[in-house]
Amino acid sequence: MPIKPIRTEKVKLDGNTELPVPFFSLNDVPECFCARYARLSSEFLFGKRFPASDSWEIRLKPGVISRRTNNQNFKFFSNNGKVSPGSIIGIYNPRSSYNNKNRPYTHISLYLGKQRGKDVFLEQFVDETRMMTIRDYELEMLQIKEILSLR
């Protein structure tokens, strides 16, 4: 039985796009389950079904294509149509207790598209559902490392 959000909030994006941002119960998406949140939200909003996995292992699953990047290059990719809404984004958090040498990142978010010309992302960070921009990530010292899409 698919997990359904307990509520949604409308978010307006460029091009008159409006999305119902999902909020899931903490029973369905517990604290620090950013991968589950991004995966469920990608399916709910865009119909994209990423495999269930930890943040740092989704890239290794069959059917997932990964492209290395960084905060600056992400802007180039999005401005040139090389990343699409519903893609999952790998993010390095230097303060994460899950970091180790075999994990290029330990957090993921969902790319929504552009809002007022800025790339926006949706994520669960600990127990908070929030929208972020690249500038927000930079202020929190978070670094985009990879774009994940489906074949």
Side-chain angles (χ1 to χ4, degrees), residues 99-135:
N99 288 341
N100 75 41
K101 66 180 180 168
N102 297 316
R103 298 176 181 161
Y105 50 84
T106 56
H107 180 62
I108 59 175
S109 67
L110 177 67
Y111 179 61
L112 292 181
K114 293 193 181 281
Q115 186 180 59
R116 289 181 233 114
K118 294 182 181 179
D119 294 303
V120 289
F121 307 86
L122 181 63
E123 65 180 25
Q124 178 181 329
F125 197 79
V126 186
D127 64 349
E128 177 187 5
T129 298
R130 63 187 191 173
M131 281 185 47
M132 301 286 283
T133 65
I134 291 176
R135 181 69 180 138

Side-chain angles (χ1 to χ4, degrees), residues 24-59:
F24 297 96
S25 77
L26 287 176
N27 290 328
D28 290 331
V29 183
E31 287 184 12
C32 299
F33 275 57
C34 61
R36 183 181 294 176
Y37 180 82
R39 184 176 54 81
L40 291 173
S41 296
S42 185
E43 184 174 355
F44 179 77
L45 293 169
F46 303 102
K48 296 182 179 182
R49 298 179 106 179
F50 282 86
S53 183
D54 288 321
S55 300
W56 51 88
E57 291 181 345
I58 288 178
R59 62 198 289 274

Side-chain angles (χ1 to χ4, degrees), residues 60-86:
L60 305 174
K61 298 293 183 182
V64 176
I65 302 167
S66 66
R67 174 182 281 158
R68 306 285 287 182
T69 190
N70 59 38
N71 292 5
Q72 197 59 40
N73 285 344
F74 187 91
K75 294 174 190 177
F76 173 81
F77 289 141
S78 70
N79 290 337
N80 290 287
K82 304 290 184 190
V83 60
S84 62

